[in-house]
Amino acid sequence: MSLLGLAAVAFAFYAAKQDNPLDPRKIERSSYEKNIRELSKKYGDKSFLNYDPQKSFDLYLTHFFKMSWGIYARKDCFQEIENMYSEFDLIYFKTNAKEKLQSYCSYSIEELMNLGDEYAQKTKSFDYNTLNAMHFYYNTHMKALDTIIDSDGDTSHLENLTQESYDKFKNIRNQLPKDYIQLSNYTPFDPNAVEDF
């Protein structure tokens, strides 16, 4: 093999390795979560050459969702986020992100779905933005189901959205290692639940 060939192989390996820290399918969960936290801190540091507060927030959002799966489908969403900030002394919890995280509590089902789509479009591959999309789809689906169950009125407009959010969630979830996400039993996301829930 020529030197040029060896250099090409080495570069390809290096490039692939560089992508792995942001692809949860290609790295152990604990290492991935550490990378996400560290990168969020780095992009939030104004002295960092590539300082990017939005990217820092998006990375942090991935970390936040890992700790609070269905937060935006909960009726006590706002207070629960408040409690998370006061109860846990987590250095990665950005105090300036709390208001933005809490603002999503008041989002409609359609707005949560749109956020999922926005995050899905932010990546050309599979990374933390893909996970954020997946979590917004999960919250969309659970909030829509709760609305359908609790409502005495016509909720037929939510049926398609419920199915679409489930399908989009499942498409992303099925690409992740099985031990990456533990879903509650007796929910639509139970691996034993019927496919067309």
Side-chain angles (χ1 to χ4, degrees):
M1 185 178 273
S2 69
L3 285 176
L4 187 58
L6 283 172
V9 169
F11 178 77
F13 176 76
Y14 177 77
K17 193 169 183 179
Q18 290 300 100
D19 290 338
N20 286 352
L22 295 179
D23 188 336
R25 302 168 302 174
K26 299 178 179 176
I27 191 170
E28 287 185 13
R29 182 176 176 175
S30 59
S31 298
Y32 181 73
E33 290 168 357
K34 180 181 177 185
N35 290 342
I36 290 297
R37 292 192 303 265
E38 291 301 317
L39 283 168
S40 179
K41 286 171 60 183
K42 183 181 285 188
Y43 281 102
D45 182 354
K46 291 183 179 179
S47 66
F48 179 52
L49 182 64
N50 294 322
Y51 169 71
D52 185 338
Q54 183 60 50
K55 188 167 183 176
S56 177
F57 175 79
D58 292 346
L59 286 155
Y60 173 69
L61 184 61
T62 307
H63 169 69
F64 171 77
F65 271 137
K66 175 185 69 71
M67 303 186 65
S68 51
W69 255 88
I71 190 75
Y72 296 117
R74 295 179 56 169
K75 290 179 174 61
D76 64 346
C77 169
F78 187 92
Q79 187 58 48
E80 184 59 25
I81 294 172
E82 193 72 36
N83 293 343
M84 291 174 77
Y85 270 84
S86 60
E87 184 178 346
F88 299 112
D89 181 22
L90 299 175
I91 61 172
Y92 303 112
F93 262 51
K94 297 177 183 300
T95 53
N96 61 351
K98 183 169 72 168
E99 285 185 16
K100 191 169 183 178
L101 293 174
Q102 287 177 323
S103 72
Y104 296 149
C105 293
S106 61
Y107 273 38
S108 69
I109 294 165
E110 292 80 5
E111 287 174 316
L112 288 174
M113 183 71 164
N114 289 339
L115 274 175
D117 290 340
E118 286 174 23
Y119 274 100
Q121 292 169 8
K122 278 190 177 189
T123 179
K124 295 177 182 175
S125 183
F126 197 109
D127 63 13
Y128 59 97
N129 285 317
T130 314
L131 293 187
N132 288 340
M134 179 185 71
H135 283 285
F136 277 120
Y137 294 143
Y138 176 88
N139 281 276
T140 298
H141 186 78
M142 296 308 289
K143 189 168 186 174
L145 277 182
D146 287 346
T147 302
I148 291 170
I149 291 167
D150 294 343
S151 178
D152 293 330
D154 179 23
T155 56
S156 57
H157 65 288
L158 292 177
E159 290 176 11
N160 287 341
L161 196 57
T162 305
Q163 185 62 48
E164 183 183 357
S165 60
Y166 175 76
D167 291 341
K168 288 182 174 183
F169 166 87
K170 186 178 173 188
N171 179 51
I172 297 170
R173 171 63 184 92
N174 286 349
Q175 297 178 60
L176 290 167
K178 289 185 179 179
D179 64 346
Y180 194 86
I181 295 171
Q182 299 298 321
L183 296 168
S184 301
N185 292 332
Y186 312 112
T187 73
F189 302 97
D190 182 345
N192 300 315
V194 292
E195 287 296 316
D196 58 349
F197 194 99

